[in-house]
Amino acid sequence: MKKPAVFLDRDGVLNEDTGYVFRPQDLRWIEGAREAVKFINEAGYFVFVVTNQSGVARGFYEECHVQELHSWMADELAKIGAHIDQFEYCPDHPEAVVERYRCNSTRRKPEPGMIVDLVARYAVDTSRSILIGDKQTDIQAALAAGIKGYLFSGGDLCAFTKSILTK
């Protein structure tokens, strides 16, 4: 049985985009972000995070740091009874300093690869799924994957999410 999903960008949607966040002590949640995840959970949707993490390719931090931050975020969400079904990230960048990450990846937004991969792994009803992002590249990835994209420009993420899902 398929169910809909909400795909969330990370930096600028779940947490403030202060530039290459990779340490828990540097992460500042967006207002209503944790509550938005809980609301989405309770509404019966999958919740996925899809995030470009070019800081890895630029040599600012390593993949293990991204994974540790995502684990910490999951622990923080669990404290209020919320969860992310899967965190996906793309460490690649065409101008990477770290050679193994230098490529034009189909997983790097605006390409839809992360979304497509999640849809292939989970029973996702794409006709009722959405993406919430803060950049046009997020919206382009959503459209390329066949789902609706919504541009979040700040404020309370929970109120924003409720306005979309209760239409």
Side-chain angles (χ1 to χ4, degrees), residues 5-20:
V6 175
F7 296 85
L8 300 167
D9 179 45
R10 195 189 82 185
D11 302 325
V13 176
L14 288 175
N15 59 277
E16 293 179 18
D17 189 353
T18 56
Y20 304 108

Side-chain angles (χ1 to χ4, degrees), residues 41-101:
N41 293 151
E42 291 172 351
Y45 287 70
F46 287 117
V47 182
F48 300 123
V49 171
V50 288
T51 178
N52 288 344
Q53 290 299 308
S54 70
V56 174
R58 297 173 195 280
F60 298 154
Y61 48 89
E62 296 182 16
E63 285 192 67
C64 65
H65 297 117
V66 176
Q67 294 160 2
E68 288 167 6
L69 181 62
H70 290 168
S71 179
W72 177 85
M73 292 173 76
D75 290 345
E76 291 296 301
L77 289 165
K79 290 177 183 177
I80 66 160
H83 70 276
I84 301 292
D85 290 288
Q86 183 74 45
F87 286 90
E88 286 290 311
Y89 67 94
C90 179
D92 303 318
H93 192 278
E95 298 170 12
V97 173
V98 181
E99 189 173 338
R100 69 182 173 158
Y101 298 112

Side-chain angles (χ1 to χ4, degrees), residues 22 34 97 106 110:
F22 69 95
R34 288 171 283 196
V97 173
T106 59

